[in-house]
Amino acid sequence: MGRHSLPDGSAPAITGSRPPARRRTLVLTTGLALAVVAGSVVALRSGLLPFGGPCDGNSTRLDVAAAPDIAPALEAVARRAREGAIRTDGKCLDVQITARAAHDLADAFGQRPADPEFQVWIPDSSLWADRVGAERGTPLTTAGTIASSPIVLGAVPSAARSLGWPARTYRWAELTRAATSSGALRLGMADPARSASGLLALARTSAADGKEGDDADTRTAAAAKLLHQRVADGDGNVTATLPKDDSGADRDNPRRNRALLLSEQAAYAHNTESGSGPALDLFYPQDGAARLDYPYVLVDDEEMRPEQTRAANRFMTLLGESAGQRILRAHGFRDGNGGADTGVIRTAGGRAPQPSSAGPADPPTVRELQALMGMWTITVQSTRLTTVVDASASMGTPVPGQGGRTRMQLATHSLLQALATCTPDDEFGLWKFATFLDGPRDYAEVSPTGRLGDRATNGGTHRGAVTAALDSLTPEARSGAGLYDTTLAAYEKARTAYASGTFDALVLVTDSANDDAGSIGLDDLVARLTKLADRERPVPLIALAIGPDTDTSALERIVAPTGGSAHRVDDPSQLHRVLLKAIITAGGKGPH
């Protein structure tokens, strides 16, 4: 059944119960209070009746929804129970397994259905049950974990060798950085919005970046941007992005990933599937891997009938016994405590000295995951930015310690770095302002806001036109900053051109206070912006204030009605980092 033999032998029974996502923890001896059923004493260890004769149609049905990766193993245990006439309450145990994507069921349970069709839910990660709990959805009770699988980096042999496999080991941040630094490696993963593996991998990246000092959000967002370019819709599709051949044209196909962030079990399944392509080699992080933990979750258990509760206990007991654990191992899973024998690890693609037995990384909290998903959504969705740059004379001031380069030169260089992170589907536009720059107006549109991948009139792309426009910006001699009139005009146009389904923002870069005595006043500007702002069609105004002469208190008043933010930037070469953080923050404040 593939290139590798399956492991056998025994595994320890599961003992690693988690605290419940909500309400009480189920105790496996729930049924002991009903010790006598049909005149028989219930077994003390599990509260269950022993094996009986062949089933005669009199059975207790238990409906279980399970993540698609573990559903086949659960079905094998359920089938063994039916064929062996395993009983509960004197009736045969009839467990029906339905494979359901965890994110779909989490959405359904989050809406508190009145009559859940399942009594037990086994998603691939507790994060789904925790999310339902945070949304105050259907009451869920976590009884324990029945299996686990660490999140690893798997690579086809040629890519693994380029990273030094198996001898070279990495911490998680080093591993993801090494894997994303080469475009030829082509690292992919499942969409974090639909996959616990993808979300936990991203959370591990964020946590690892946070331990390495400042700019963690920037580094994580940059990694997310790269990963999004090669993301698969879900766990079921992620290994399908690998080449079918590691030695020819398929390997070099730019549409094919050569490395993946995935679970050890997914790598095991790939390596044992005939015709799936080159076997994956696995890298395990030195500082601990995030883990899928496969919780055994009761759905609204206070509404379950007593016989359903005991049937749920019985099935969980079967999964924890040696026969159930052998079946789970034969499908590539570790036990609930993370323990795995060498057969599972080796078949999945692990080899010494890769630290496959390293302890687990700390799991992220619900709040951390919510913030991370906000970052992912904002960072990877199409973005529409109109950038308004101060071209007053003060922008020609040299910045100390920067080799004579001016505020304008450093600012435009940093904005070019921000532009480089944009995809062809992103939109970008450029205005400049001073005083009386275009007749009586203080502003001029240098490059209209448009899709970067579109062709320009000269045959190039809009990206090229914006790049040239940024390069051409120079300070206007003997001019001040017509800040207020420019802000109002640019915001009015940005609101008119709002594009649903994208992240729209107006970015204002200035080193001055308003210098046009004949312009609109600050109070009137704030009042006008308050009327223009629309939470259902948000266009946050992000103000980046360079140097000591900006009126930051005025900028804070200006951005407030729009849901934006104002930021003091002492080093204009860091504008792109501050801008990215501001975008992430603004994106989490409202719909987009």
Side-chain angles (χ1 to χ4, degrees):
M1 58 178 295
R3 292 184 295 278
H4 306 281
S5 59
L6 297 177
D8 54 16
S10 62
I14 54 178
T15 59
S17 298
R18 294 180 76 255
R22 300 184 61 197
R23 300 163 59 206
R24 59 184 174 78
T25 298
L26 177 68
V27 179
L28 292 181
T29 55
T30 301
L32 289 178
L34 303 176
V36 179
V37 180
S40 299
V41 178
V42 180
L44 290 177
R45 184 177 68 84
S46 58
L48 306 164
L49 286 171
F51 288 87
C55 289
D56 57 2
N58 193 14
S59 62
T60 297
R61 175 165 172 152
L62 182 71
D63 286 292
V64 178
D69 55 348
I70 201 170
L74 300 178
E75 176 54 39
V77 177
R79 184 168 57 251
R80 179 179 177 275
R82 289 192 294 271
E83 293 172 351
I86 292 177
R87 297 174 184 267
T88 175
D89 284 345
K91 298 179 181 179
C92 286
L93 180 62
D94 179 18
V95 181
Q96 298 296 317
I97 307 296
T98 301
R100 290 284 296 271
H103 73 278
D104 284 341
L105 214 49
D107 288 343
F109 286 150
Q111 300 173 19
R112 292 185 65 93
D115 184 20
E117 58 182 307
F118 304 105
Q119 291 81 54
V120 175
W121 181 30
I122 305 178
D124 52 5
S125 173
S126 295
L127 67 86
W128 302 115
D130 291 345
R131 192 183 86 179
V132 174
E135 294 173 352
R136 300 186 180 276
T138 300
L140 302 176
T141 302
T142 299
T145 59
I146 63 168
S148 65
S149 190
I151 307 300
V152 296
L153 187 144
V156 296
S158 59
R161 289 193 300 270
S162 72
L163 293 173
W165 186 88
R168 184 169 182 183
T169 60
Y170 300 82
R171 298 177 69 82
W172 184 264
E174 298 168 338
L175 181 59
T176 54
R177 194 175 302 127
T180 54
S181 61
S182 170
L185 191 61
R186 299 194 296 273
L187 175 66
M189 69 175 184
D191 184 353
R194 302 166 61 87
S195 161
S197 295
L199 184 52
L200 288 171
L202 195 62
R204 190 74 190 97
T205 300
S206 177
D209 285 340
K211 293 180 179 179
E212 294 196 353
D214 297 335
D215 295 325
D217 289 344
T218 301
R219 288 195 299 271
T220 302
K225 196 85 170 179
L226 288 171
L227 287 167
H228 181 258
Q229 297 176 32
R230 312 205 64 82
V231 78
D233 286 343
D235 293 306
N237 299 323
V238 69
T239 54
T241 67
L242 292 166
K244 300 298 183 184
D245 186 333
D246 196 33
S247 60
D250 200 43
R251 179 198 63 190
D252 298 326
N253 185 342
R255 293 175 175 267
R256 293 288 187 183
N257 294 319
R258 299 179 64 221
L260 298 173
L261 298 174
L262 76 174
S263 71
E264 179 186 72
Q265 190 278 332
Y268 182 104
H270 172 82
N271 288 354
T272 55
E273 182 181 351
S274 178
S276 60
L280 291 173
D281 298 322
L282 300 188
F283 288 87
Y284 294 80
Q286 297 170 346
D287 49 344
R291 284 184 179 173
L292 301 178
D293 61 352
Y294 300 92
Y296 193 90
V297 181
L298 299 188
V299 182
D300 204 1
D301 60 307
E302 289 188 350
E303 298 300 320
M304 289 169 60
R305 300 190 304 275
E307 62 269 24
Q308 290 177 321
T309 299
R310 291 192 290 272
N313 289 344
R314 182 56 162 147
F315 187 54
M316 184 173 177
T317 300
L318 293 177
L319 293 171
E321 291 174 348
S322 59
Q325 287 291 291
R326 278 199 301 272
I327 291 173
L328 286 164
R329 267 201 321 282
H331 286 79
F333 294 96
R334 299 189 178 200
D335 66 34
N337 291 321
D341 64 16
T342 56
V344 169
I345 294 171
R346 191 171 184 85
T347 302
R351 297 289 186 277
Q354 290 298 316
S356 57
S357 298
D362 292 335
T365 66
V366 172
R367 181 171 295 181
E368 288 170 340
L369 290 173
Q370 289 172 337
L372 197 62
M373 279 312 302
M375 182 276 291
W376 172 263
T377 301
I378 295 304
T379 303
V380 304
Q381 72 174 336
S382 293
T383 301
R384 179 182 173 87
L385 295 179
T386 300
T387 303
V388 182
V389 179
D390 190 339
S392 61
S394 59
M395 286 292 284
T397 304
V399 177
Q402 293 291 342
R405 288 183 292 177
T406 66
R407 293 173 181 172
M408 178 67 86
Q409 289 171 327
L410 293 172
T412 54
H413 178 74
S414 192
L415 290 171
L416 285 169
Q417 288 180 278
L419 180 65
T421 67
C422 295
T423 70
D425 290 327
D426 291 331
E427 298 181 54
F428 203 99
L430 181 65
W431 289 32
K432 65 178 180 178
F433 70 97
T435 47
F436 305 105
L437 188 64
D438 182 16
R441 295 193 305 180
D442 294 332
Y443 50 87
E445 186 178 56
V446 182
S447 182
T449 303
R451 185 176 173 276
L452 290 170
D454 286 349
R455 288 292 169 185
T457 54
N458 63 0
T461 64
H462 184 59
R463 183 190 296 274
V466 173
T467 299
L470 280 167
D471 280 333
S472 70
L473 287 180
T474 55
E476 300 290 327
R478 298 183 298 279
S479 66
L483 181 64
Y484 294 168
D485 281 353
T486 301
T487 300
L488 179 59
Y491 196 78
E492 286 176 334
K493 184 161 186 178
R495 280 287 295 111
T496 301
Y498 174 84
S500 179
T502 67
F503 174 75
D504 288 54
L506 179 65
V507 179
L508 177 67
V509 180
T510 183
D511 74 339
S512 307
N514 184 61
D515 238 353
D516 185 355
S519 72
I520 188 174
L522 178 59
D523 290 340
D524 286 343
L525 172 60
V526 172
R528 293 282 296 275
L529 292 173
T530 301
K531 289 182 178 180
L532 285 168
D534 181 352
R535 189 179 182 278
E536 298 303 316
R537 296 166 59 85
V539 181
L541 172 56
I542 298 169
L544 305 178
I546 301 172
D549 300 325
T550 51
D551 188 348
T552 53
S553 62
L555 291 175
E556 287 171 353
R557 286 191 62 193
I558 290 169
V559 302
T562 72
S565 55
H567 305 265
R568 171 75 174 270
V569 186
D570 292 323
D571 181 358
S573 68
Q574 299 302 305
L575 278 178
H576 64 291
R577 296 185 183 276
V578 179
L579 175 59
L580 179 56
K581 289 183 179 180
I583 287 174
I584 292 170
T585 301
K589 290 185 177 180
H592 38 267

